[in-house]
Amino acid sequence: MSYRELYEFCQNLPAPISRTELIPNVCRLTGKPKPRVILSGLNPEIVRGYFIVPGNTQHPFAKWANAPGGAIIVVAREMNYCWKRFVEVKELMHLFDEPLQLVGDGDIFQGLISEFVAPTLEWSDAFRSDAQAVWMALGVLCPEQRRQEFARMRTAGDINDLTIAQGLKIPERYVPTLFHPAFRRYVDAVK
């Protein structure tokens, strides 16, 4: 089960990368069933989405899993298309997580939320996994060649962040992250 294989697969796809291309390949590479995506009344200013681990039968949405042991991705209904798409793909990246990286119950989820509000010097595996999922999602949603083209155009002033976001169908907020000096290092560090 290799994120690297998914990343390489996406390099040959035209942007914007389609979820209909991503989801079956993530499932194939992880050997896990397709997660069910549920739009919910979450307040996106607090939580935009979350991943319900396979086998969490205590969560109220668990009964809607696509298969026994299937995961569920919950996404805030009130967001625009680009935000919903990004959150779904970011949460999908958790299918690559190891068991200790997953948030399996409400207490761990509450602890994770607390880390976002008042981070500590020692991050939990779940917090690191959530941060890594952002980089993973950006890595598959923006093929490297396209990212390099955008970087040249952006530096020359020929394109702005909104146009890049619209081309990739991602939130404008994440466009600067694509050009972070350590972007390749962070994406390449994922196995």
Side-chain angles (χ1 to χ4, degrees):
M1 99 180 155
S2 166
Y3 168 78
R4 177 66 34 207
E5 289 178 65
L6 178 68
Y7 175 82
E8 294 301 331
F9 170 77
C10 290
Q11 298 309 300
N12 299 313
L13 297 176
I17 306 297
S18 169
R19 286 172 288 179
T20 60
E21 294 276 358
L22 281 177
I23 294 168
N25 280 286
V26 169
C27 294
R28 178 182 58 80
L29 290 168
T30 62
K32 296 175 182 168
K34 179 181 175 183
R36 168 71 54 106
V37 177
I38 296 176
L39 297 179
S40 176
L42 296 171
N43 179 345
E45 292 188 26
I46 298 171
V47 176
R48 292 184 185 98
Y50 59 92
F51 180 85
I52 300 173
V53 298
N56 179 347
T57 57
Q58 296 177 349
H59 193 282
F61 293 153
K63 61 186 171 195
W64 290 300
N66 282 334
I72 297 171
I73 295 172
V74 181
V75 177
R77 170 185 305 118
E78 299 304 317
M79 297 185 297
N80 69 32
Y81 175 83
C82 292
W83 269 107
K84 287 179 196 170
R85 180 177 183 276
F86 181 77
V87 169
E88 180 181 342
V89 172
K90 182 250 179 205
E91 297 302 333
L92 181 68
M93 296 298 106
H94 288 300
L95 286 177
F96 289 102
D97 285 354
E98 297 297 326
L100 290 176
Q101 295 174 300
L102 295 169
V103 175
D105 63 41
D107 291 338
I108 297 172
F109 183 70
Q110 196 62 36
L112 179 61
I113 296 297
S114 295
E115 283 186 84
F116 283 110
V117 174
T120 66
L121 294 176
E122 295 181 23
W123 292 344
S124 67
D125 289 338
F127 187 86
R128 276 199 277 321
S129 168
D130 212 61
Q132 181 174 285
V134 170
W135 295 99
M136 293 168 72
L138 289 171
V140 298
L141 291 172
C142 184
E144 181 61 19
Q145 182 178 353
R146 193 74 177 121
R147 190 180 77 83
Q148 293 296 328
E149 290 170 17
F150 282 141
R152 283 190 293 279
M153 294 169 67
R154 186 176 186 250
T155 300
D158 296 333
I159 197 168
N160 62 28
D161 289 357
L162 178 60
T163 304
I164 294 169
Q166 290 170 336
L168 296 173
K169 296 195 182 332
I170 65 171
E172 184 179 6
R173 173 183 176 169
Y174 286 104
V175 171
T177 307
L178 290 170
F179 308 110
H180 186 283
F183 181 85
R184 280 304 308 259
R185 184 168 43 98
Y186 291 157
V187 171
D188 289 345
V190 182
K191 308 249 185 296

